[in-house]
């Protein structure tokens, strides 16, 4: 997640897109990728809300900083945990400011050359905190029914969509299950959330789950969030991205071929091996992937070796 304001950061180590020097730095990175490869680049924009002002992910995750905490915002004064700050309940003026921060970041992302935008509406951060009844206790037009809880996230989306070029897609990442039973968001609610986003013009739902409550009891396993993507895709007709413990090329192929998602997103496998996708293509004897030109000799050797390991593989 790239944060839309300093107070919207999760940690002091988070990337941002709110100062002129950020736009310059991102333009350099995106320009390099576009000049050297045929890859497309998306940026995920978000605001941390009640889970802001915390330590780096590899320190004490979600725990407040030892020094220099900044005040955090939320739909209601509900803290992430007894250790975290109680967020200030957002006023209409706070909502105007956050909406404007998202719009400014989207405009900067466009000038930096990004091909796609994703809005982070998952994992207990600000927009997610509005969507789930676990943290939204508001009694005004922004709390209560699902339509009310979605009001601010939809306003932000529409404001961003108005400044983001029409041909470039926007996805929204949601938590499709709070994993707390019927008191929180259920996979059925997630279909209703997707329908509201679809009606507003969202192109793709990136279907994650959880991280919205300390009381969550997720059921892990390989591809464990894919059933939620499957359901949203097939009940609404929307394009979806599946994510979560997808780590074998066969997982990706079976999800896509069975019509359970339109794209798969792999996070940790790419931290362990940035070339995971190129390696998977070679294993499956797919030759169409673009490699960086200086690495072509490595590609050719890998294809020879994987071809040798699989006598049935077609050799070209
Ligand atoms: C180091 C790290 C950083 C992450 N940062 C983000 C993030 O900024 N935004 C987000 O939506 N998910 C983030 N995630 C969650 C991943 O996108 C993904 O949903 C999760 O790791 C499960 O997928 P995986 O099994 O492929 O890793 C992060 C995960 C890791 C391990």
């Amino acid at each position: 997640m790239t944060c839309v304001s300093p107070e919207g950061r999760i940690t002091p180590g988070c990337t941002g897109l709110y100062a002129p020097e950020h736009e310059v730095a991102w333009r350099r990175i995106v320009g390099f990728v576009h000049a050297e490869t045929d890859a497309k680049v998306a940026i995920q924009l978000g605001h941390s809300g009640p889970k802001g002002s915390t330590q780096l992910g590899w320190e004490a995750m979600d725990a407040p900083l030892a020094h220099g905490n900044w005040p955090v915002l939320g739909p209601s004064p509900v803290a992430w945990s007894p250790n975290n700050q109680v967020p200030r309940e957002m006023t209409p003026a706070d909502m105007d400011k956050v909406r404007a921060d998202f719009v400014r970041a989207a405009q900067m992302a466009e000038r930096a050359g990004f091909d796609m935008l994703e809005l982070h509406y998952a994992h207990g951060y600000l927009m997610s905190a509005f969507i789930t009844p676990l943290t939204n206790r508001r009694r005004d037009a922004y709390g209560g029914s699902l339509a009310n809880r979605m009001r601010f996230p939809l306003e932000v989306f529409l404001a961003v969509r108005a400044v983001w070029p029409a041909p470039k897609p926007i996805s929204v990442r949601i938590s499709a299950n709070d994993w707390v039973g019927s008191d929180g968001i259920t996979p059925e609610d997630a279909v209703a959330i997707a329908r509201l986003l679809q009606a507003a013009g969202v192109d793709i739902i990136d279907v994650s789950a959880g991280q919205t409550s300390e009381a969550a009891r997720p059921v892990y396993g390989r591809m464990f969030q894919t059933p939620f993507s499957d359901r949203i895709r097939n009940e609404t007709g929307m394009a979806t991205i599946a994510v979560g413990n997808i780590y074998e090329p066969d997982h990706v192929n079976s999800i896509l071929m069975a019509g359970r998602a339109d794209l798969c997103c792999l996070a940790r496998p790419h931290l362990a091996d940035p070339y995971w996708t190129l390696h998977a293509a070679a294993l499956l004897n797919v030759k169409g992937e673009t490699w960086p030109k200086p690495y072509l000799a490595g590609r050719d050797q890998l294809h020879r070796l994987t071809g040798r390991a699989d006598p049935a593989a077609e050799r070209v």
Side-chain angles (χ1 to χ4, degrees):
M1 165 171 133
T2 298
C3 309
V4 297
S5 61
E7 62 279 9
R9 289 172 302 161
I10 304 169
T11 77
C14 285
T15 51
L17 194 43
Y18 47 83
E21 60 267 31
H22 300 161
E23 184 182 321
V24 172
W26 283 115
R27 189 162 58 230
R28 181 171 158 264
I29 293 168
V30 176
F32 179 81
V33 172
H34 283 158
E36 301 296 329
T37 77
D38 57 4
K40 303 288 185 196
V41 198
I43 185 165
Q44 185 190 53
L45 297 179
H47 187 299
S48 52
K51 291 173 85 176
S53 190
T54 59
Q55 299 181 31
L56 302 181
W58 46 93
E59 297 171 346
M61 176 120 82
D62 298 328
L65 300 168
H67 309 283
N69 285 286
W70 60 87
V72 300
L73 288 177
S76 305
V78 179
W80 165 250
S81 83
N83 286 336
N84 291 77
Q85 288 182 62
V86 176
R88 184 161 63 78
E89 179 171 319
M90 284 177 72
T91 63
D94 291 325
M95 290 191 199
D96 290 345
K97 156 91 169 62
V98 168
R99 194 187 307 107
D101 288 341
F102 269 90
V103 166
R104 178 187 55 199
Q107 289 168 322
M108 287 179 153
E110 159 59 7
R111 290 195 297 267
F114 283 100
D115 300 294
M116 173 171 152
L117 206 60
E118 175 163 288
L119 300 180
H120 198 345
Y121 284 13
H123 301 166
Y125 300 117
L126 185 61
M127 296 299 154
S128 165
F130 267 88
I131 297 171
T132 172
L134 300 175
T135 43
N136 184 339
R137 309 270 169 80
R138 297 180 76 98
R139 293 171 167 272
D140 61 7
Y142 294 93
S145 65
L146 179 63
N148 277 1
R149 287 181 275 122
M150 284 292 291
R151 192 180 306 279
F152 184 55
L154 286 168
E155 285 176 4
V156 169
F157 166 73
L158 289 173
V160 166
R161 185 68 272 185
V163 299
W164 185 245
K168 292 188 181 183
I170 301 184
S171 64
V172 173
R173 176 170 272 207
I174 63 168
S175 282
N177 193 347
D178 284 337
W179 298 113
V180 298
S182 56
D183 289 345
I185 297 292
T186 63
E188 188 179 354
D189 295 328
V191 175
I193 292 168
R195 283 193 206 286
L196 291 168
L197 294 169
Q198 181 178 35
V202 170
D203 299 291
I204 308 162
I205 307 288
D206 183 353
V207 189
S208 189
Q211 299 173 54
T212 51
S213 167
E214 283 216 311
R217 293 293 170 265
V219 182
Y220 291 118
R222 60 186 192 275
M223 306 182 282
F224 72 116
Q225 295 171 162
T226 300
F228 313 136
S229 161
D230 188 340
R231 187 161 174 181
I232 290 172
R233 185 174 191 271
N234 289 298
E235 290 190 23
T236 69
M238 286 193 84
T240 63
I241 301 175
V243 62
N245 228 14
I246 298 168
Y247 52 84
E248 298 280 356
D250 268 357
H251 296 167
V252 176
N253 280 343
S254 33
I255 290 168
L256 298 180
M257 290 301 106
R260 309 185 78 195
D262 299 86
L263 284 173
C264 290
C265 178
L266 285 73
R268 291 168 299 172
H270 283 114
L271 295 180
D273 174 9
Y275 300 117
W276 188 93
T277 307
L278 296 177
H279 293 166
L283 268 177
L284 296 170
N285 207 31
V286 171
K287 297 268 166 72
E289 294 299 306
T290 307
W291 285 60
K293 288 197 184 76
Y295 298 178
L296 289 180
R299 175 199 66 182
D300 294 344
Q301 184 193 41
L302 184 62
H303 273 286
R304 271 196 307 278
L305 294 172
T306 52
R308 224 180 267 162
D310 176 7
E314 180 197 354
R315 287 198 188 77
V316 183

